[in-house]
Amino acid sequence: MNSQDQQALAVDESSPEWTVKEIWLLLLFLSAVLLFRIFNLSSYDVLSADGTSYGPIGRGFFKTGDFKVFGFISGPGYSFFVGLFDLFLRDTERSLRMVSVVFSTMTVGVVYCMGRLFHNRQSGMAAALLCATLPFLHGMSGIDITEPTFTFFLLAGGFLFWKAYTAENRLHAVAAGLLLAVAYLTRSEGFITWFALSVFAVADLVLRFRQGGRQLFFRVIVPFWAAFLLFFAPYLVYLRAMTGEWHLSGKASGNAQVLKAYHGRSQDGVDVKFRFNKSGDGFDIAKGEGLGKLLREEPELFFLNIRTNISAIPGLFNGAMPWYLLFFAAAAFIFSPWKRRHLFANACIISICSPLVIYILFFVQQRGFHPYISALCVMTGAGMCLTGNLLDKTRMSATLRLWLPLLLLALPLAVYYIYQDVPGAKLPYHYEQDGARRDDKHIGQRLKKLLPPDAVLMTRSGRIAFYAEKPMIIPPQESYGEIIAYAHKNKSTHLVVTPQLMTMRPQLEPLFGPLINPGAPFVPPPEFRLVYMGEEAGGLPYIVYQFN
């Protein structure tokens, strides 16, 4: 290797200082990603069930300033940003999507920085290209769920902790703790990554206690913990006040009930959470129904759920991140230089992905892989660029060997993924394609015009109420008479009957006649007056009743 080749190799392996040109190129690339994702918003037809709750919650917080608006089932992080965006956009649905678009685009920038500093500039480029174009990640970039926002704070916090620890930088440590705290407030799994990073760092400090480990502990670890606890501790106290129990997540207290319903072991099906509590003044939040109780009382079901999840993971993960990309990621873990700097970078990625371990205890959903596939893009990009080492004994220059994998592997894959990502023509719609989500939207839009401004809906679909722009209550999983009494108590004016309600509330069967036998004569029960009956473009039939 001549001196020019050695210089080129050294420049790219040492992660050089940022230049104005590199910063501008990165900003231009991120701007292109942002614009493409905004363009892609046309492919999203309707909000998710979760989004119909997050939007009103965020808007309600900025209207009232009351933190209790956030409730306790989900963390306040995503809803807070939705409410913040809505102050400027004045469109809740657009705000829900734009929060995801903005944070998912910023995640691409974080992935570039991680690949650049963990490995080299070319690895950062390859990682950023994959993170920006991989269909699974791009497809979720505008969805109104928590994962894209959570991913940004999780990766940014993990990356800054790596910088803080390797450079002994107190400010980076504080920033890392704050970012991971926001990740936790968005999704409770953020705590696991914070804990895993702490374990790796403390173990390393113990091993080199005599070589400055004590000073590093107080300079980096203590500020990192203090910054995280600044948000974590008050929210833990808040959850205690709201649920009466100590939990890392508001969902934790009802996990046993939900798992029983998921595996068909509950008499109330998936709507077990809408049973009245013992006092009859609200729904049962299943206190004390955590996984510990399930393990004690029904160990067979507990382990059945684990086996079900383990068997589902390979197929779901491969559908999100193809196996050949995992091959490159594994190569990066194995063949990267075994130096302390790289080993701690690997530990950082492992810590970010550590919440995957607990997924087998709960539910495995493909959307939950989003943050961890984003992190693995860093290793995949590095693994691709490591293939240049296979050309060491050729006469090819070191510079070309560094760039060739990027040009022959990452770039063609990115072009192929972009081709897959371009929205295509939509097929004729039928409500069975998406569980009636789009028709629910159309029903809501129709009811917005049809019903009086002060109408309060009783419906099982949050989408109908969201698009109708009406307040709503959910019919409890109780008897026919108790449902009617609950409606009057909460001043509900109208009940919307759809096939979803027919399935989940069979006790309301006296109201289903026109949907079961459309041509037969029908007289509604005396408690109701039939207001409207129709069928949307996707074929979904529905009835609107007014409470007498």
Side-chain angles (χ1 to χ4, degrees), residues 44-179:
Y44 302 106
D45 297 307
V46 63
L47 291 179
S48 69
D50 292 345
T52 60
S53 298
Y54 294 134
I57 288 172
R59 187 175 56 201
F61 172 72
F62 280 91
K63 183 178 180 179
T64 65
D66 184 2
F67 196 85
K68 290 184 178 179
V69 169
F70 291 117
F72 62 89
I73 299 299
S74 298
Y78 176 58
S79 297
F80 174 86
F81 287 111
V82 171
L84 184 64
F85 274 50
D86 195 53
L87 293 177
F88 303 95
L89 298 178
R90 297 297 179 183
D91 184 325
T92 305
E93 183 171 6
R94 185 180 300 173
S95 298
L96 281 158
R97 301 199 189 286
M98 284 304 298
V99 169
S100 294
V101 165
V102 169
F103 281 113
S104 67
T105 302
M106 291 167 63
T107 298
V108 175
V110 174
V111 165
Y112 172 77
C113 294
M114 294 174 77
R116 182 185 188 276
L117 292 185
F118 286 2
H119 300 281
N120 56 34
R121 183 190 286 115
Q122 289 76 16
S123 297
M125 291 179 180
L129 282 171
L130 292 173
C131 187
T133 61
L134 190 66
F136 171 72
L137 297 179
H138 177 71
M140 289 184 63
S141 63
I143 296 183
D144 48 300
I145 54 179
T146 58
E147 278 81 0
T149 303
F150 171 67
T151 298
F152 167 75
F153 286 101
L154 191 74
L155 267 64
F159 173 58
L160 278 183
F161 181 71
W162 177 86
K163 289 194 69 176
Y165 194 78
T166 54
E168 301 187 17
N169 188 303
R170 183 180 288 110
L171 288 179
H172 283 161
V174 170
L178 292 176
L179 287 167

Side-chain angles (χ1 to χ4, degrees), residues 256-270 272 294 297-302 304-305 307:
Q257 272 195 357
V258 175
L259 284 175
K260 288 177 184 178
Y262 178 72
H263 289 282
R265 302 288 183 91
S266 170
Q267 63 175 346
D268 299 319
V270 295
V272 61
L294 185 66
E297 297 183 355
E298 298 188 50
E300 179 269 334
L301 177 59
F302 180 86
L304 170 65
N305 185 63
R307 291 195 300 272

